[in-house]
């Protein structure tokens, strides 16, 4: 962890969050993460809300081909990830959604 870091060191992601709230307050509310471990990063996470992720991706101008796709939890959870520079901060969008059981059953067949 960054010893001696002050709240001022988190000014960039906090400023980005304030601007996002002012400009895009009508969009889905994400889980928000700001941490002294990555003091320049603001993470917006969407759980079971791929549409929320897509809404934010669109307004931030992140192209669909810039989104990485993966799985976790033994292939049962879809994970989307994208990032962009916004207001001097690294803005990271992440989405998690369960893969439907029918899809998993089809993959096992």
């Amino acid at each position: 962890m960054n010893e001696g870091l002050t709240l001022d060191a988190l000014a960039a992601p906090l400023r980005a969050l304030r601007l996002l709230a002012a400009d895009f307050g009508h969009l889905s509310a994400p889980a928000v993460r700001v941490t002294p471990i990555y003091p320049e990063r603001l993470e917006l996470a969407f759980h079971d809300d791929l549409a929320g992720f897509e809404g934010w991706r669109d307004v931030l101008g992140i192209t669909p081909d810039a989104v990485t796709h993966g799985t976790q939890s033994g292939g049962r959870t879809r994970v989307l990830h994208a990032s962009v520079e916004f207001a001097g901060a690294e803005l990271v969008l992440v989405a998690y959604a369960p893969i439907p059981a029918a899809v998993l059953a089809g993959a096992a067949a």
Side-chain angles (χ1 to χ4, degrees), residues 7-27:
L7 190 58
D8 282 342
L10 302 176
L14 293 173
R15 178 178 45 255
L17 180 59
R18 182 184 48 146
L19 291 171
L20 290 171
D23 293 344
F24 306 116
H26 62 283
L27 293 175

Side-chain angles (χ1 to χ4, degrees), residues 24-76:
F24 306 116
H26 62 283
L27 293 175
S28 296
V32 176
R33 182 172 184 210
V34 176
T35 174
I37 297 170
Y38 302 105
E40 296 298 319
R41 182 182 298 173
L42 170 63
E43 182 179 302
L44 305 180
F46 301 86
H47 298 268
D48 300 327
D49 186 10
L50 296 179
F53 174 93
E54 286 299 314
W56 281 97
R57 181 200 55 74
D58 187 48
V59 300
L60 292 169
I62 301 171
T63 61
D65 62 330
V67 176
T68 61
H69 305 261
T71 61
Q72 66 181 38
S73 301
R76 294 185 317 261

